[in-house]
Amino acid sequence: MSSVVLDKVTKVYPGGHLAVDRMSLRAEDGEFLVLLGPSGCGKSTLLRMIAGLEEITEGDLWLDGQISNHLAPRDRDVAMVFQNGALYPHRTVRGNMAFPLEIAKADPAMVRERVTELSKALHIDETLDRRPGTLSGGQRQRVAMGRAIVRQPKIFLMDEPLSNLDAGMRTELRMEISSLVRSLGVTTIYVTHDQVEALTLADRIAIMNRGVLQDVGTPGQIYNDPATAFVAAFLSSQQLNLLSATVRTPQNQHVLLDFGPHQLVIPWSDPRAYAVSQHTGRQIIIGIRPDGLAPVQESYDGPSFFGRVRTLEYHGHEWLAYVECGAPAVAVPEPPDPRLAASGRTESGGLRAMVRRMFAPAEQQHEDQEQVGQNPGSGHHRRADLIVRLGGRPAWRPAMPVKVGVDVARLMLFTTDGARIDPPRR
Ligand SMILES: Nc1ncnc2c1ncn2[C@@H]1O[C@H](COP(=O)(O)OP(=O)(O)OP(=O)(O)O)[C@@H](O)[C@H]1O
Ligand SMILES: [Mg+2]
């Protein structure tokens, strides 16, 4: 067992691509840490640096209290499982699993016993005498996992080990990995871009985007109290409602979020009110998960939006409604592109804005143009569809005028850069 500490670890690939930007992170002894983020954000690069398969450009890696930047991979006592766990095709399952122990010249009787025991835990004991070519994808991944675990490494690194499997197999193997790794107590760093995998497996989740650490915490902390709009959006199983509002404090009575056609009040008794009031007169971003909204009667006089049902969507266990409400929508704010830093250019506002436009989706481009001094309620903003959960029996029909109750306590408040206005509790 071992702890893993990254101290401002940076990776610049030959050619100048900045793949990981000053990542500082700690996996405690025996912890199951999940590294989550979209494709290309630098997850594999980070894992490969920990394994010693990729050089660290800057910063320090500590394994078990020892600085380990220059340790050879074989001296790190780290085992890694890849997305396509490559097996030796001419060896049997038993031969594949035994291989790391044979190389270490372990006692053959012990090897046999260990492989048999582990194959039972992984439910592949019936396949021990078969070759990899005769196995299913799920079975092959189990063998790859067994081969990595068999010599009981100090640190276990897994790079999307389940992503090539079908949904049923993923769920099954996910539970098995969780119980197996926990029973061994090996420090594990597990890479995925699947938020369900992250939430279900992790002791803690570290979430990154474009090579930059966005947030780290227990699944509950980062789901309920995300540090950035990116984290909130990435962890939402249904699309996060992201709206633009102007902060007002009329006669200092309360804080008002002005969405143009709608207003929501944040009373001074709300612990977030003071922090939001510091943005009076400016635009902020409001994130609302569909479960913070609910259909209400016309007579309801609590916090609410009104609108018209554009469409209903059937999801098997529930219906979702898309409600046109006329509030301005915003795209998820992205952190500045680190490629600029790698090329040695400083980020002036103009350059940064230009790059954001180059990489942003169409509606974000709109935003950028409109942010320049225009009234958010009046321009050509994309209008938000509120996504509302209706349960198993929708009381609404398309085109119906409706009222949507808002759980103000569950609003997430971000600056236009996507940072939290009220600091997350960690
Ligand atoms: N050997 C390399 N040389 C140059 N650039 C690289 C190299 N390997 C990766 N990159 C770039 O670094 C960035 C991060 O890549 P990485 O493979 O770490 O992403 P990832 O988060 O694992 O993505 P995925 O979820 O798709 O596996 C990408 O933009 C990728 O193109
Ligand atoms: Mg990868």
PDB file of all heavy atoms in Angstrom, residues 4 6 44-56 61 63 68-82 151 155-158 189:
ATOM      1  N   VAL A   4      -0.014   8.351  -3.152  1.00  0.00           N
ATOM      2  CA  VAL A   4       0.475   8.965  -4.379  1.00  0.00           C
ATOM      3  C   VAL A   4       0.249  10.467  -4.255  1.00  0.00           C
ATOM      4  O   VAL A   4      -0.876  10.895  -3.996  1.00  0.00           O
ATOM      5  CB  VAL A   4      -0.311   8.450  -5.614  1.00  0.00           C
ATOM      6  CG1 VAL A   4       0.191   9.109  -6.893  1.00  0.00           C
ATOM      7  CG2 VAL A   4      -0.239   6.941  -5.716  1.00  0.00           C
ATOM      8  N   LEU A   6       0.885  14.140  -6.192  1.00  0.00           N
ATOM      9  CA  LEU A   6       1.328  14.922  -7.350  1.00  0.00           C
ATOM     10  C   LEU A   6       1.455  16.363  -6.897  1.00  0.00           C
ATOM     11  O   LEU A   6       0.529  16.908  -6.287  1.00  0.00           O
ATOM     12  CB  LEU A   6       0.274  14.853  -8.464  1.00  0.00           C
ATOM     13  CG  LEU A   6      -0.088  13.472  -8.976  1.00  0.00           C
ATOM     14  CD1 LEU A   6      -1.365  13.536  -9.798  1.00  0.00           C
ATOM     15  CD2 LEU A   6       1.036  12.916  -9.810  1.00  0.00           C
ATOM     16  N   SER A  44      -5.170   9.918 -19.233  1.00  0.00           N
ATOM     17  CA  SER A  44      -4.202   8.832 -19.492  1.00  0.00           C
ATOM     18  C   SER A  44      -2.786   9.346 -19.322  1.00  0.00           C
ATOM     19  O   SER A  44      -1.922   8.629 -18.799  1.00  0.00           O
ATOM     20  CB  SER A  44      -4.377   8.277 -20.907  1.00  0.00           C
ATOM     21  OG  SER A  44      -5.644   7.709 -21.035  1.00  0.00           O
ATOM     22  N   THR A  45      -2.550  10.567 -19.764  1.00  0.00           N
ATOM     23  CA  THR A  45      -1.214  11.148 -19.629  1.00  0.00           C
ATOM     24  C   THR A  45      -0.802  11.159 -18.159  1.00  0.00           C
ATOM     25  O   THR A  45       0.314  10.778 -17.801  1.00  0.00           O
ATOM     26  CB  THR A  45      -1.208  12.585 -20.195  1.00  0.00           C
ATOM     27  OG1 THR A  45      -1.625  12.532 -21.553  1.00  0.00           O
ATOM     28  CG2 THR A  45       0.158  13.219 -20.091  1.00  0.00           C
ATOM     29  N   LEU A  46      -1.719  11.576 -17.296  1.00  0.00           N
ATOM     30  CA  LEU A  46      -1.416  11.653 -15.866  1.00  0.00           C
ATOM     31  C   LEU A  46      -1.125  10.259 -15.304  1.00  0.00           C
ATOM     32  O   LEU A  46      -0.151  10.061 -14.564  1.00  0.00           O
ATOM     33  CB  LEU A  46      -2.604  12.283 -15.129  1.00  0.00           C
ATOM     34  CG  LEU A  46      -2.302  12.747 -13.729  1.00  0.00           C
ATOM     35  CD1 LEU A  46      -1.360  13.945 -13.772  1.00  0.00           C
ATOM     36  CD2 LEU A  46      -3.576  13.133 -13.009  1.00  0.00           C
ATOM     37  N   LEU A  47      -1.952   9.300 -15.691  1.00  0.00           N
ATOM     38  CA  LEU A  47      -1.773   7.938 -15.194  1.00  0.00           C
ATOM     39  C   LEU A  47      -0.431   7.367 -15.661  1.00  0.00           C
ATOM     40  O   LEU A  47       0.281   6.715 -14.903  1.00  0.00           O
ATOM     41  CB  LEU A  47      -2.927   7.080 -15.708  1.00  0.00           C
ATOM     42  CG  LEU A  47      -3.486   6.039 -14.758  1.00  0.00           C
ATOM     43  CD1 LEU A  47      -3.928   6.686 -13.471  1.00  0.00           C
ATOM     44  CD2 LEU A  47      -4.645   5.299 -15.397  1.00  0.00           C
ATOM     45  N   ARG A  48      -0.101   7.640 -16.916  1.00  0.00           N
ATOM     46  CA  ARG A  48       1.153   7.110 -17.477  1.00  0.00           C
ATOM     47  C   ARG A  48       2.366   7.766 -16.814  1.00  0.00           C
ATOM     48  O   ARG A  48       3.413   7.136 -16.672  1.00  0.00           O
ATOM     49  CB  ARG A  48       1.165   7.313 -18.995  1.00  0.00           C
ATOM     50  CG  ARG A  48       0.124   6.419 -19.704  1.00  0.00           C
ATOM     51  CD  ARG A  48      -0.031   6.789 -21.169  1.00  0.00           C
ATOM     52  NE  ARG A  48       1.224   6.657 -21.887  1.00  0.00           N
ATOM     53  CZ  ARG A  48       1.705   5.511 -22.354  1.00  0.00           C
ATOM     54  NH1 ARG A  48       1.010   4.407 -22.202  1.00  0.00           N
ATOM     55  NH2 ARG A  48       2.863   5.470 -22.969  1.00  0.00           N
ATOM     56  N   MET A  49       2.225   9.007 -16.373  1.00  0.00           N
ATOM     57  CA  MET A  49       3.328   9.641 -15.644  1.00  0.00           C
ATOM     58  C   MET A  49       3.512   8.968 -14.279  1.00  0.00           C
ATOM     59  O   MET A  49       4.626   8.793 -13.806  1.00  0.00           O
ATOM     60  CB  MET A  49       3.079  11.145 -15.495  1.00  0.00           C
ATOM     61  CG  MET A  49       3.273  11.913 -16.789  1.00  0.00           C
ATOM     62  SD  MET A  49       3.342  13.704 -16.557  1.00  0.00           S
ATOM     63  CE  MET A  49       1.648  14.101 -16.205  1.00  0.00           C
ATOM     64  N   ILE A  50       2.390   8.591 -13.653  1.00  0.00           N
ATOM     65  CA  ILE A  50       2.498   7.914 -12.348  1.00  0.00           C
ATOM     66  C   ILE A  50       3.134   6.538 -12.527  1.00  0.00           C
ATOM     67  O   ILE A  50       3.950   6.108 -11.717  1.00  0.00           O
ATOM     68  CB  ILE A  50       1.101   7.798 -11.679  1.00  0.00           C
ATOM     69  CG1 ILE A  50       0.527   9.191 -11.410  1.00  0.00           C
ATOM     70  CG2 ILE A  50       1.194   7.005 -10.377  1.00  0.00           C
ATOM     71  CD1 ILE A  50      -0.930   9.206 -10.980  1.00  0.00           C
ATOM     72  N   ALA A  51       2.789   5.873 -13.641  1.00  0.00           N
ATOM     73  CA  ALA A  51       3.343   4.533 -13.901  1.00  0.00           C
ATOM     74  C   ALA A  51       4.795   4.596 -14.356  1.00  0.00           C
ATOM     75  O   ALA A  51       5.486   3.578 -14.363  1.00  0.00           O
ATOM     76  CB  ALA A  51       2.498   3.829 -14.954  1.00  0.00           C
ATOM     77  N   GLY A  52       5.247   5.768 -14.783  1.00  0.00           N
ATOM     78  CA  GLY A  52       6.625   5.883 -15.284  1.00  0.00           C
ATOM     79  C   GLY A  52       6.733   5.617 -16.772  1.00  0.00           C
ATOM     80  O   GLY A  52       7.818   5.435 -17.307  1.00  0.00           O
ATOM     81  N   LEU A  53       5.593   5.595 -17.467  1.00  0.00           N
ATOM     82  CA  LEU A  53       5.604   5.333 -18.914  1.00  0.00           C
ATOM     83  C   LEU A  53       5.741   6.632 -19.704  1.00  0.00           C
ATOM     84  O   LEU A  53       5.915   6.608 -20.915  1.00  0.00           O
ATOM     85  CB  LEU A  53       4.303   4.627 -19.328  1.00  0.00           C
ATOM     86  CG  LEU A  53       4.029   3.317 -18.589  1.00  0.00           C
ATOM     87  CD1 LEU A  53       2.667   2.760 -18.959  1.00  0.00           C
ATOM     88  CD2 LEU A  53       5.128   2.292 -18.898  1.00  0.00           C
ATOM     89  N   GLU A  54       5.618   7.741 -19.014  1.00  0.00           N
ATOM     90  CA  GLU A  54       5.690   9.048 -19.660  1.00  0.00           C
ATOM     91  C   GLU A  54       6.488   9.957 -18.736  1.00  0.00           C
ATOM     92  O   GLU A  54       6.294   9.932 -17.524  1.00  0.00           O
ATOM     93  CB  GLU A  54       4.253   9.579 -19.817  1.00  0.00           C
ATOM     94  CG  GLU A  54       4.030  10.571 -20.891  1.00  0.00           C
ATOM     95  CD  GLU A  54       4.191   9.994 -22.286  1.00  0.00           C
ATOM     96  OE1 GLU A  54       3.330   9.207 -22.722  1.00  0.00           O
ATOM     97  OE2 GLU A  54       5.191  10.342 -22.921  1.00  0.00           O
ATOM     98  N   GLU A  55       7.388  10.730 -19.323  1.00  0.00           N
ATOM     99  CA  GLU A  55       8.232  11.594 -18.502  1.00  0.00           C
ATOM    100  C   GLU A  55       7.432  12.777 -17.949  1.00  0.00           C
ATOM    101  O   GLU A  55       6.549  13.295 -18.629  1.00  0.00           O
ATOM    102  CB  GLU A  55       9.374  12.108 -19.384  1.00  0.00           C
ATOM    103  CG  GLU A  55      10.569  12.595 -18.606  1.00  0.00           C
ATOM    104  CD  GLU A  55      11.646  13.095 -19.563  1.00  0.00           C
ATOM    105  OE1 GLU A  55      11.881  12.411 -20.592  1.00  0.00           O
ATOM    106  OE2 GLU A  55      12.224  14.152 -19.290  1.00  0.00           O
ATOM    107  N   ILE A  56       7.761  13.185 -16.740  1.00  0.00           N
ATOM    108  CA  ILE A  56       7.126  14.366 -16.136  1.00  0.00           C
ATOM    109  C   ILE A  56       7.930  15.593 -16.558  1.00  0.00           C
ATOM    110  O   ILE A  56       9.147  15.628 -16.379  1.00  0.00           O
ATOM    111  CB  ILE A  56       7.095  14.240 -14.599  1.00  0.00           C
ATOM    112  CG1 ILE A  56       6.198  13.063 -14.196  1.00  0.00           C
ATOM    113  CG2 ILE A  56       6.641  15.537 -13.949  1.00  0.00           C
ATOM    114  CD1 ILE A  56       6.261  12.706 -12.724  1.00  0.00           C
ATOM    115  N   LEU A  61       6.482  13.944  -8.383  1.00  0.00           N
ATOM    116  CA  LEU A  61       5.639  12.792  -8.073  1.00  0.00           C
ATOM    117  C   LEU A  61       6.237  12.091  -6.857  1.00  0.00           C
ATOM    118  O   LEU A  61       7.419  11.737  -6.862  1.00  0.00           O
ATOM    119  CB  LEU A  61       5.619  11.829  -9.273  1.00  0.00           C
ATOM    120  CG  LEU A  61       5.015  10.448  -8.995  1.00  0.00           C
ATOM    121  CD1 LEU A  61       3.513  10.557  -8.777  1.00  0.00           C
ATOM    122  CD2 LEU A  61       5.324   9.479 -10.142  1.00  0.00           C
ATOM    123  N   LEU A  63       5.786   8.796  -4.449  1.00  0.00           N
ATOM    124  CA  LEU A  63       5.133   7.510  -4.212  1.00  0.00           C
ATOM    125  C   LEU A  63       5.588   7.031  -2.848  1.00  0.00           C
ATOM    126  O   LEU A  63       6.803   6.909  -2.609  1.00  0.00           O
ATOM    127  CB  LEU A  63       5.521   6.485  -5.290  1.00  0.00           C
ATOM    128  CG  LEU A  63       5.154   6.859  -6.730  1.00  0.00           C
ATOM    129  CD1 LEU A  63       5.663   5.803  -7.703  1.00  0.00           C
ATOM    130  CD2 LEU A  63       3.647   7.037  -6.881  1.00  0.00           C
ATOM    131  N   SER A  68       9.689  10.304  -6.883  1.00  0.00           N
ATOM    132  CA  SER A  68       9.800   9.154  -7.790  1.00  0.00           C
ATOM    133  C   SER A  68       9.794   9.534  -9.259  1.00  0.00           C
ATOM    134  O   SER A  68       9.616   8.653 -10.112  1.00  0.00           O
ATOM    135  CB  SER A  68       8.638   8.187  -7.509  1.00  0.00           C
ATOM    136  OG  SER A  68       8.638   7.807  -6.162  1.00  0.00           O
ATOM    137  N   ASN A  69      10.014  10.800  -9.574  1.00  0.00           N
ATOM    138  CA  ASN A  69       9.977  11.240 -10.985  1.00  0.00           C
ATOM    139  C   ASN A  69      10.834  10.356 -11.885  1.00  0.00           C
ATOM    140  O   ASN A  69      10.450  10.064 -13.009  1.00  0.00           O
ATOM    141  CB  ASN A  69      10.516  12.664 -11.125  1.00  0.00           C
ATOM    142  CG  ASN A  69       9.599  13.690 -10.529  1.00  0.00           C
ATOM    143  OD1 ASN A  69       9.048  13.452  -9.454  1.00  0.00           O
ATOM    144  ND2 ASN A  69       9.415  14.816 -11.193  1.00  0.00           N
ATOM    145  N   HIS A  70      11.996   9.953 -11.400  1.00  0.00           N
ATOM    146  CA  HIS A  70      12.941   9.279 -12.289  1.00  0.00           C
ATOM    147  C   HIS A  70      13.081   7.786 -11.998  1.00  0.00           C
ATOM    148  O   HIS A  70      13.966   7.139 -12.549  1.00  0.00           O
ATOM    149  CB  HIS A  70      14.296   9.989 -12.229  1.00  0.00           C
ATOM    150  CG  HIS A  70      14.179  11.429 -12.641  1.00  0.00           C
ATOM    151  ND1 HIS A  70      13.826  11.803 -13.926  1.00  0.00           N
ATOM    152  CD2 HIS A  70      14.268  12.568 -11.928  1.00  0.00           C
ATOM    153  CE1 HIS A  70      13.740  13.121 -13.986  1.00  0.00           C
ATOM    154  NE2 HIS A  70      14.010  13.615 -12.779  1.00  0.00           N
ATOM    155  N   LEU A  71      12.190   7.248 -11.165  1.00  0.00           N
ATOM    156  CA  LEU A  71      12.233   5.799 -10.923  1.00  0.00           C
ATOM    157  C   LEU A  71      11.790   5.055 -12.183  1.00  0.00           C
ATOM    158  O   LEU A  71      10.834   5.465 -12.841  1.00  0.00           O
ATOM    159  CB  LEU A  71      11.265   5.413  -9.805  1.00  0.00           C
ATOM    160  CG  LEU A  71      11.733   5.401  -8.358  1.00  0.00           C
ATOM    161  CD1 LEU A  71      10.648   4.768  -7.489  1.00  0.00           C
ATOM    162  CD2 LEU A  71      13.039   4.633  -8.229  1.00  0.00           C
ATOM    163  N   ALA A  72      12.460   3.962 -12.503  1.00  0.00           N
ATOM    164  CA  ALA A  72      12.030   3.146 -13.638  1.00  0.00           C
ATOM    165  C   ALA A  72      10.673   2.530 -13.307  1.00  0.00           C
ATOM    166  O   ALA A  72      10.384   2.264 -12.136  1.00  0.00           O
ATOM    167  CB  ALA A  72      13.053   2.055 -13.891  1.00  0.00           C
ATOM    168  N   PRO A  73       9.842   2.291 -14.333  1.00  0.00           N
ATOM    169  CA  PRO A  73       8.503   1.734 -14.079  1.00  0.00           C
ATOM    170  C   PRO A  73       8.558   0.479 -13.188  1.00  0.00           C
ATOM    171  O   PRO A  73       7.745   0.335 -12.268  1.00  0.00           O
ATOM    172  CB  PRO A  73       7.994   1.386 -15.478  1.00  0.00           C
ATOM    173  CG  PRO A  73       8.735   2.291 -16.397  1.00  0.00           C
ATOM    174  CD  PRO A  73      10.066   2.572 -15.763  1.00  0.00           C
ATOM    175  N   ARG A  74       9.509  -0.403 -13.443  1.00  0.00           N
ATOM    176  CA  ARG A  74       9.520  -1.665 -12.684  1.00  0.00           C
ATOM    177  C   ARG A  74       9.876  -1.456 -11.216  1.00  0.00           C
ATOM    178  O   ARG A  74       9.639  -2.316 -10.382  1.00  0.00           O
ATOM    179  CB  ARG A  74      10.479  -2.676 -13.329  1.00  0.00           C
ATOM    180  CG  ARG A  74      11.922  -2.250 -13.281  1.00  0.00           C
ATOM    181  CD  ARG A  74      12.873  -3.285 -13.859  1.00  0.00           C
ATOM    182  NE  ARG A  74      14.226  -2.739 -13.867  1.00  0.00           N
ATOM    183  CZ  ARG A  74      14.679  -1.889 -14.774  1.00  0.00           C
ATOM    184  NH1 ARG A  74      13.901  -1.514 -15.768  1.00  0.00           N
ATOM    185  NH2 ARG A  74      15.915  -1.415 -14.702  1.00  0.00           N
ATOM    186  N   ASP A  75      10.469  -0.288 -10.899  1.00  0.00           N
ATOM    187  CA  ASP A  75      10.836  -0.029  -9.503  1.00  0.00           C
ATOM    188  C   ASP A  75       9.751   0.725  -8.742  1.00  0.00           C
ATOM    189  O   ASP A  75       9.954   1.130  -7.606  1.00  0.00           O
ATOM    190  CB  ASP A  75      12.145   0.782  -9.447  1.00  0.00           C
ATOM    191  CG  ASP A  75      13.300  -0.007 -10.042  1.00  0.00           C
ATOM    192  OD1 ASP A  75      13.260  -1.259  -9.941  1.00  0.00           O
ATOM    193  OD2 ASP A  75      14.213   0.601 -10.620  1.00  0.00           O
ATOM    194  N   ARG A  76       8.619   0.934  -9.389  1.00  0.00           N
ATOM    195  CA  ARG A  76       7.567   1.718  -8.721  1.00  0.00           C
ATOM    196  C   ARG A  76       6.546   0.842  -8.022  1.00  0.00           C
ATOM    197  O   ARG A  76       5.682   1.348  -7.310  1.00  0.00           O
ATOM    198  CB  ARG A  76       6.855   2.612  -9.745  1.00  0.00           C
ATOM    199  CG  ARG A  76       7.787   3.621 -10.348  1.00  0.00           C
ATOM    200  CD  ARG A  76       7.085   4.598 -11.262  1.00  0.00           C
ATOM    201  NE  ARG A  76       8.102   5.463 -11.869  1.00  0.00           N
ATOM    202  CZ  ARG A  76       7.894   6.692 -12.298  1.00  0.00           C
ATOM    203  NH1 ARG A  76       6.690   7.218 -12.240  1.00  0.00           N
ATOM    204  NH2 ARG A  76       8.874   7.394 -12.817  1.00  0.00           N
ATOM    205  N   ASP A  77       6.554  -0.444  -8.292  1.00  0.00           N
ATOM    206  CA  ASP A  77       5.575  -1.362  -7.729  1.00  0.00           C
ATOM    207  C   ASP A  77       4.148  -0.915  -8.028  1.00  0.00           C
ATOM    208  O   ASP A  77       3.280  -0.866  -7.159  1.00  0.00           O
ATOM    209  CB  ASP A  77       5.795  -1.529  -6.217  1.00  0.00           C
ATOM    210  CG  ASP A  77       5.275  -2.887  -5.753  1.00  0.00           C
ATOM    211  OD1 ASP A  77       4.740  -3.621  -6.596  1.00  0.00           O
ATOM    212  OD2 ASP A  77       5.389  -3.181  -4.555  1.00  0.00           O
ATOM    213  N   VAL A  78       3.965  -0.566  -9.304  1.00  0.00           N
ATOM    214  CA  VAL A  78       2.684  -0.074  -9.775  1.00  0.00           C
ATOM    215  C   VAL A  78       2.182  -1.031 -10.846  1.00  0.00           C
ATOM    216  O   VAL A  78       2.966  -1.473 -11.677  1.00  0.00           O
ATOM    217  CB  VAL A  78       2.894   1.331 -10.401  1.00  0.00           C
ATOM    218  CG1 VAL A  78       1.722   1.730 -11.259  1.00  0.00           C
ATOM    219  CG2 VAL A  78       3.129   2.365  -9.304  1.00  0.00           C
ATOM    220  N   ALA A  79       0.898  -1.386 -10.808  1.00  0.00           N
ATOM    221  CA  ALA A  79       0.326  -2.207 -11.885  1.00  0.00           C
ATOM    222  C   ALA A  79      -0.729  -1.403 -12.608  1.00  0.00           C
ATOM    223  O   ALA A  79      -1.483  -0.657 -11.993  1.00  0.00           O
ATOM    224  CB  ALA A  79      -0.290  -3.470 -11.311  1.00  0.00           C
ATOM    225  N   MET A  80      -0.744  -1.543 -13.929  1.00  0.00           N
ATOM    226  CA  MET A  80      -1.689  -0.736 -14.710  1.00  0.00           C
ATOM    227  C   MET A  80      -2.559  -1.635 -15.588  1.00  0.00           C
ATOM    228  O   MET A  80      -2.065  -2.585 -16.187  1.00  0.00           O
ATOM    229  CB  MET A  80      -0.882   0.247 -15.557  1.00  0.00           C
ATOM    230  CG  MET A  80      -1.723   1.269 -16.258  1.00  0.00           C
ATOM    231  SD  MET A  80      -0.777   2.783 -16.589  1.00  0.00           S
ATOM    232  CE  MET A  80      -1.863   3.577 -17.756  1.00  0.00           C
ATOM    233  N   VAL A  81      -3.840  -1.309 -15.649  1.00  0.00           N
ATOM    234  CA  VAL A  81      -4.755  -2.004 -16.570  1.00  0.00           C
ATOM    235  C   VAL A  81      -5.233  -0.988 -17.594  1.00  0.00           C
ATOM    236  O   VAL A  81      -5.688   0.098 -17.242  1.00  0.00           O
ATOM    237  CB  VAL A  81      -5.975  -2.583 -15.819  1.00  0.00           C
ATOM    238  CG1 VAL A  81      -6.951  -3.203 -16.802  1.00  0.00           C
ATOM    239  CG2 VAL A  81      -5.534  -3.610 -14.809  1.00  0.00           C
ATOM    240  N   PHE A  82      -5.122  -1.351 -18.870  1.00  0.00           N
ATOM    241  CA  PHE A  82      -5.495  -0.432 -19.940  1.00  0.00           C
ATOM    242  C   PHE A  82      -6.903  -0.752 -20.436  1.00  0.00           C
ATOM    243  O   PHE A  82      -7.470  -1.789 -20.123  1.00  0.00           O
ATOM    244  CB  PHE A  82      -4.504  -0.549 -21.104  1.00  0.00           C
ATOM    245  CG  PHE A  82      -3.087  -0.230 -20.707  1.00  0.00           C
ATOM    246  CD1 PHE A  82      -2.240  -1.222 -20.240  1.00  0.00           C
ATOM    247  CD2 PHE A  82      -2.612   1.064 -20.783  1.00  0.00           C
ATOM    248  CE1 PHE A  82      -0.936  -0.931 -19.873  1.00  0.00           C
ATOM    249  CE2 PHE A  82      -1.311   1.368 -20.413  1.00  0.00           C
ATOM    250  CZ  PHE A  82      -0.472   0.371 -19.954  1.00  0.00           C
ATOM    251  N   ARG A 151       0.314  -9.849  -8.425  1.00  0.00           N
ATOM    252  CA  ARG A 151       1.530  -9.720  -7.612  1.00  0.00           C
ATOM    253  C   ARG A 151       1.372  -8.664  -6.512  1.00  0.00           C
ATOM    254  O   ARG A 151       2.341  -8.223  -5.911  1.00  0.00           O
ATOM    255  CB  ARG A 151       2.737  -9.413  -8.497  1.00  0.00           C
ATOM    256  CG  ARG A 151       2.625  -8.133  -9.247  1.00  0.00           C
ATOM    257  CD  ARG A 151       3.830  -7.909 -10.136  1.00  0.00           C
ATOM    258  NE  ARG A 151       3.652  -6.706 -10.908  1.00  0.00           N
ATOM    259  CZ  ARG A 151       3.895  -5.495 -10.452  1.00  0.00           C
ATOM    260  NH1 ARG A 151       4.349  -5.320  -9.241  1.00  0.00           N
ATOM    261  NH2 ARG A 151       3.679  -4.444 -11.208  1.00  0.00           N
ATOM    262  N   ILE A 155       0.378   0.066  -5.817  1.00  0.00           N
ATOM    263  CA  ILE A 155      -0.537   1.026  -6.437  1.00  0.00           C
ATOM    264  C   ILE A 155      -1.131   0.385  -7.685  1.00  0.00           C
ATOM    265  O   ILE A 155      -0.420  -0.251  -8.460  1.00  0.00           O
ATOM    266  CB  ILE A 155       0.206   2.319  -6.823  1.00  0.00           C
ATOM    267  CG1 ILE A 155       0.768   2.988  -5.568  1.00  0.00           C
ATOM    268  CG2 ILE A 155      -0.709   3.287  -7.565  1.00  0.00           C
ATOM    269  CD1 ILE A 155       1.900   3.944  -5.858  1.00  0.00           C
ATOM    270  N   PHE A 156      -2.419   0.608  -7.839  1.00  0.00           N
ATOM    271  CA  PHE A 156      -3.151   0.014  -8.937  1.00  0.00           C
ATOM    272  C   PHE A 156      -3.684   1.148  -9.805  1.00  0.00           C
ATOM    273  O   PHE A 156      -4.406   2.025  -9.308  1.00  0.00           O
ATOM    274  CB  PHE A 156      -4.294  -0.779  -8.308  1.00  0.00           C
ATOM    275  CG  PHE A 156      -4.812  -1.889  -9.148  1.00  0.00           C
ATOM    276  CD1 PHE A 156      -4.097  -2.394 -10.217  1.00  0.00           C
ATOM    277  CD2 PHE A 156      -6.042  -2.447  -8.850  1.00  0.00           C
ATOM    278  CE1 PHE A 156      -4.592  -3.418 -10.978  1.00  0.00           C
ATOM    279  CE2 PHE A 156      -6.548  -3.477  -9.607  1.00  0.00           C
ATOM    280  CZ  PHE A 156      -5.817  -3.961 -10.677  1.00  0.00           C
ATOM    281  N   LEU A 157      -3.311   1.168 -11.084  1.00  0.00           N
ATOM    282  CA  LEU A 157      -3.765   2.223 -11.992  1.00  0.00           C
ATOM    283  C   LEU A 157      -4.649   1.587 -13.058  1.00  0.00           C
ATOM    284  O   LEU A 157      -4.245   0.615 -13.701  1.00  0.00           O
ATOM    285  CB  LEU A 157      -2.564   2.902 -12.659  1.00  0.00           C
ATOM    286  CG  LEU A 157      -1.499   3.472 -11.718  1.00  0.00           C
ATOM    287  CD1 LEU A 157      -0.320   4.012 -12.516  1.00  0.00           C
ATOM    288  CD2 LEU A 157      -2.085   4.563 -10.832  1.00  0.00           C
ATOM    289  N   MET A 158      -5.838   2.104 -13.244  1.00  0.00           N
ATOM    290  CA  MET A 158      -6.741   1.531 -14.254  1.00  0.00           C
ATOM    291  C   MET A 158      -7.204   2.621 -15.190  1.00  0.00           C
ATOM    292  O   MET A 158      -7.757   3.641 -14.743  1.00  0.00           O
ATOM    293  CB  MET A 158      -7.963   0.912 -13.577  1.00  0.00           C
ATOM    294  CG  MET A 158      -7.612  -0.152 -12.584  1.00  0.00           C
ATOM    295  SD  MET A 158      -9.069  -1.131 -12.245  1.00  0.00           S
ATOM    296  CE  MET A 158      -8.858  -1.404 -10.514  1.00  0.00           C
ATOM    297  N   ILE A 189      -5.950   4.322  -8.512  1.00  0.00           N
ATOM    298  CA  ILE A 189      -6.377   5.491  -9.289  1.00  0.00           C
ATOM    299  C   ILE A 189      -7.025   4.958 -10.556  1.00  0.00           C
ATOM    300  O   ILE A 189      -6.421   4.211 -11.319  1.00  0.00           O
ATOM    301  CB  ILE A 189      -5.205   6.437  -9.609  1.00  0.00           C
ATOM    302  CG1 ILE A 189      -4.518   6.863  -8.296  1.00  0.00           C
ATOM    303  CG2 ILE A 189      -5.710   7.675 -10.367  1.00  0.00           C
ATOM    304  CD1 ILE A 189      -3.391   7.847  -8.472  1.00  0.00           C
TER     305      ILE A 189
END
